[in-house]
Amino acid sequence: MKHNVKLGIDVFMEKHVSVLKGKRVGLLTNQTGANAKLISTIRLFHQHPDIHLTTLFAPEHGLKTAVKEGERFSHMVHEETGITVFSLYGQSKKPTPIMMEQVDVVVFDIQDIGSRYYTYLYSLVYMMQACAKIGKKVIILDRPNPIGGSAVEGNLLEDDFKSFVGLYPIPNRHGMTVGELATYFNEEFSIHCDLTVVEMEGWVRDCYITDIQLPWIPPSPNTTNLDMMLLYPGTCLIEGTNLSEGRGTTQPFEIIGAPFINGVYLQDEINALGMEGVTAREISFNPTYQKYEGKSCEGIQLHITNRTLFKPLSTIAQVLRVIAKMYPDELKFLEYDNLKHPMFDLLAGSDSLRKGLVTNQTDKFLLTCQLDSDKFIENRRPYLRYR
């Protein structure tokens, strides 16, 4: 039996919309901002007589999530409403004074996927910081964590590795909703934003998005299904290597490969580890864009066999350890001139995992992950809003 969950947007429109009366409203959203009947939050706000919607803000991938990862886009005008859409993934990722001129209160309504790397979290943080500085209010319309709110896994990001794929020390899989995280950030890291979270009704921590009686809108171009999102806290690390994470295929973040890999050999080595909750299957693929575009790759697809036992970060750490041992001369970690650290380290939140992979010693990193996760579980306790 599926849970009957009422989203923050539906609770807000039913019970709290009056708080916006007489205010100039900015809305930070994308295509996931919609109610249970799939009516967009933009339309709901624009057509409501008591809401004066003046400004729209769009995070990475744009308002319609059609822009590729890492690709900048410019300000535009929303066709249906004629309202200006300010890009928070263009010349600036932070709201500028000009963007905030016509705003008294900012509402945030975007679906997250439960992982530290997901940049929508940090667009929200930057908005909270901007609003705190100029004394404007932020309202978050809460949504489910699609991979559940109970399991936590990962290390706490170290200060020297802060970036737009990780600003604060939270684990790779944090197990919180956006509303919970925003409150945590606001208090623990002294943002001091005037913040209100409109809670969902009926959501419980141990349910996945497939356990909820609601339609699902993909939050970004490569967000495909529940298994992909469960794998993502681990497989996103592949972005920092010269391995393909499956972008340009129908199974992004579920497959790992490269032209130099023998899929059958890798499959057998991975399965010999006996990891709980996951099985590797050899696969061949030809990415249509990104790494190895148009080239034949071999590798593995990771199949989750038990969602409760599966640990995404531990799994990928062990997969990478096998690949590093099998292909020590071929596996590379990507570096960019504009980044202080290798991209892999920014995603991992430290250089410990990369160094451990090079020396075939990842146990220390995984022990750190367990200790950090336990610490975070205690730290987050006062900020949890759902049973």
Side-chain angles (χ1 to χ4, degrees), residues 118-335:
Y118 219 48
T119 63
Y120 300 159
L121 289 176
Y122 309 115
S123 291
L124 171 58
V125 167
Y126 286 156
M127 180 60 75
M128 289 168 60
Q129 291 172 343
C131 287
K133 188 174 181 179
I134 56 179
K136 298 186 179 182
K137 186 177 182 62
V138 173
I139 298 173
I140 295 174
L141 309 182
D142 215 5
R143 291 181 172 271
N145 185 321
I147 59 174
S150 298
V152 172
E153 187 194 12
N155 61 310
L156 296 179
L157 179 137
E158 298 174 11
D159 282 349
D160 197 45
F161 296 88
K162 289 181 178 180
S163 73
F164 200 56
V165 291
L167 279 181
Y168 291 128
I170 61 174
N172 308 62
R173 182 180 183 181
H174 51 70
M176 298 176 79
T177 69
V178 168
E180 291 174 331
L181 271 174
T183 309
Y184 181 79
F185 293 156
N186 202 37
E187 297 297 323
E188 294 292 317
F189 304 105
S190 302
I191 298 175
H192 302 306
C193 172
D194 180 2
L195 178 67
T196 296
V197 176
V198 179
E199 297 180 11
M200 297 173 282
E201 294 178 2
W203 187 73
V204 293
R205 307 207 73 81
D206 61 353
C207 71
Y208 299 107
I209 197 66
T210 50
D211 300 323
I212 298 172
Q213 205 164 21
L214 284 170
W216 174 251
I217 303 171
S220 53
N222 286 284
T223 304
T224 53
N225 56 44
L226 176 58
D227 279 2
M228 171 266 154
M229 289 186 284
L230 283 166
L231 284 158
Y232 186 75
T235 51
C236 185
L237 294 175
I238 304 300
E239 286 190 345
T241 73
N242 64 336
L243 301 169
S244 169
E245 66 277 6
R247 290 190 189 274
T249 76
T250 59
Q251 297 162 311
F253 300 104
E254 295 182 60
I255 63 178
I256 301 166
F260 57 82
I261 284 180
N262 182 302
V264 174
Y265 291 167
L266 181 58
Q267 163 199 271
D268 292 344
E269 291 291 325
I270 297 301
N271 289 334
L273 299 175
M275 292 186 291
E276 291 185 309
V278 63
T279 299
R281 179 181 65 86
E282 65 94 8
I283 189 173
S284 299
F285 59 97
N286 291 67
T288 58
Y289 83 101
Q290 253 250 20
K291 298 174 190 171
Y292 306 118
E293 178 180 346
K295 295 183 179 180
S296 180
C297 297
E298 286 193 21
I300 55 170
Q301 179 177 359
L302 293 170
H303 294 264
I304 299 173
T305 56
N306 186 313
R307 291 171 180 168
T308 303
L309 295 177
F310 174 64
K311 294 184 177 181
L313 185 60
S314 174
T315 295
I316 295 307
Q318 294 182 74
V319 167
L320 284 171
R321 183 172 63 183
V322 170
I323 294 174
K325 189 175 180 179
M326 291 177 67
Y327 304 100
D329 297 327
E330 288 87 357
L331 177 63
K332 307 294 181 186
F333 297 94
L334 304 181
E335 298 193 36

Side-chain angles (χ1 to χ4, degrees), residues 22 87 89 136 351 381:
S87 169
Y89 206 81
K136 298 186 179 182
D351 58 8
R381 198 178 302 278

Side-chain angles (χ1 to χ4, degrees), residues 364-382:
K364 182 180 179 181
F365 173 77
L366 293 175
L367 176 59
T368 298
C369 288
Q370 185 59 59
L371 295 173
D372 282 0
S373 294
D374 291 344
K375 179 181 178 181
F376 179 74
I377 287 169
E378 286 303 310
N379 290 345
R380 75 173 191 162
R381 198 178 302 278

Side-chain angles (χ1 to χ4, degrees), residues 5-131:
V5 175
K6 184 176 285 188
L7 296 169
I9 175 61
D10 289 309
V11 174
F12 181 78
M13 297 305 291
E14 182 181 310
K15 299 179 180 180
H16 305 294
V17 71
S18 61
V19 302
L20 296 182
K21 193 168 185 177
K23 306 288 186 182
R24 298 172 301 169
V25 179
L27 178 60
L28 172 48
T29 191
N30 63 10
Q31 70 170 359
T32 63
N35 68 5
K37 296 181 179 179
L38 297 177
I39 302 171
S40 76
T41 305
I42 296 173
R43 177 173 287 186
L44 290 170
F45 278 22
H46 183 64
Q47 294 183 350
H48 197 284
D50 291 336
I51 300 178
H52 181 32
L53 182 63
T54 61
T55 310
L56 294 169
F57 302 95
E60 184 180 9
H61 304 297
L63 210 59
K64 296 184 179 180
T65 68
V67 182
K68 288 181 180 179
E69 64 283 348
E71 189 174 301
R72 293 183 179 185
F73 60 94
S74 302
H75 307 321
M76 62 195 74
V77 174
H78 186 248
E79 187 175 350
E80 180 183 349
T81 63
I83 295 172
T84 298
V85 183
F86 288 114
S87 169
L88 297 182
Y89 206 81
Q91 290 185 338
S92 174
K93 293 184 176 71
K94 298 182 178 182
T96 64
I98 291 175
M99 296 181 194
M100 304 299 290
E101 281 180 350
Q102 300 299 314
V103 172
D104 299 314
V105 56
V106 175
V107 179
F108 178 93
D109 190 19
I110 295 178
Q111 177 65 57
D112 182 47
I113 67 169
S115 185
R116 182 178 69 209
Y117 328 108
Y118 219 48
T119 63
Y120 300 159
L121 289 176
Y122 309 115
S123 291
L124 171 58
V125 167
Y126 286 156
M127 180 60 75
M128 289 168 60
Q129 291 172 343
C131 287

